[in-house]
Amino acid sequence: MRRRARDPITRLQTAIDCLPERTRRAMLDGVRANTIVVGAYTDGNGGVCPMLAAHRNGGRTSFLSFARAWDAFARADAVRPASPRELRVLEDLLVASLAEDLEGVSDLAAAIAEHRASAARSRPKEIIARRLRRPKPLTPAEGDPAGPPVAAGAGARTAS
């Protein structure tokens, strides 16, 4: 069984990595454009949590573990604005997570291209090898040695 991370930043990073890319992009935009709070969904004065900021920017995802990780990271015991440090860490984690996705996409694209090139190079060899291994079917006039044996007097009834 896998152990959960104990430190709040790693939990927050894991929660961010689990969010869909669209939500992470929307959250990054929302964090940069809104007053972000910890300890609640909203503070009643225009401040919003990062998930609501993402929601308002098109990232329509509900992810409770992110909210828990965010509040644990911020040590929220009451509703308050996020500190500049908390916002900087959140933004850095979002940017890093999105950058990893881009690297993964380019690595995947390179792997796919390499596979296709390899398959294109080896395909004619495979076809030729299969054709050489497969025996050419014989015509009935040539006699098919693999065909069923013909018994003498086929079709005649035997006396019992």
Side-chain angles (χ1 to χ4, degrees), residues 45-66:
N45 296 321
V48 295
C49 75
M51 281 305 296
L52 181 55
H55 182 81
R56 289 182 177 173
N57 281 284
R60 309 264 192 278
T61 302
S62 178
F63 199 62
L64 187 59
S65 65
F66 172 82

Side-chain angles (χ1 to χ4, degrees), residues 42-47 79:
T42 65
D43 67 355
N45 296 321
V79 180

Side-chain angles (χ1 to χ4, degrees), residues 17 19-22 24-25 95-107:
D17 289 343
L19 291 169
E21 179 188 353
R22 182 174 157 207
R24 285 180 278 153
R25 288 188 186 287
V95 168
S97 180
L98 289 167
E100 285 178 13
D101 277 359
L102 291 177
E103 288 174 13
V105 168
S106 64
D107 290 346

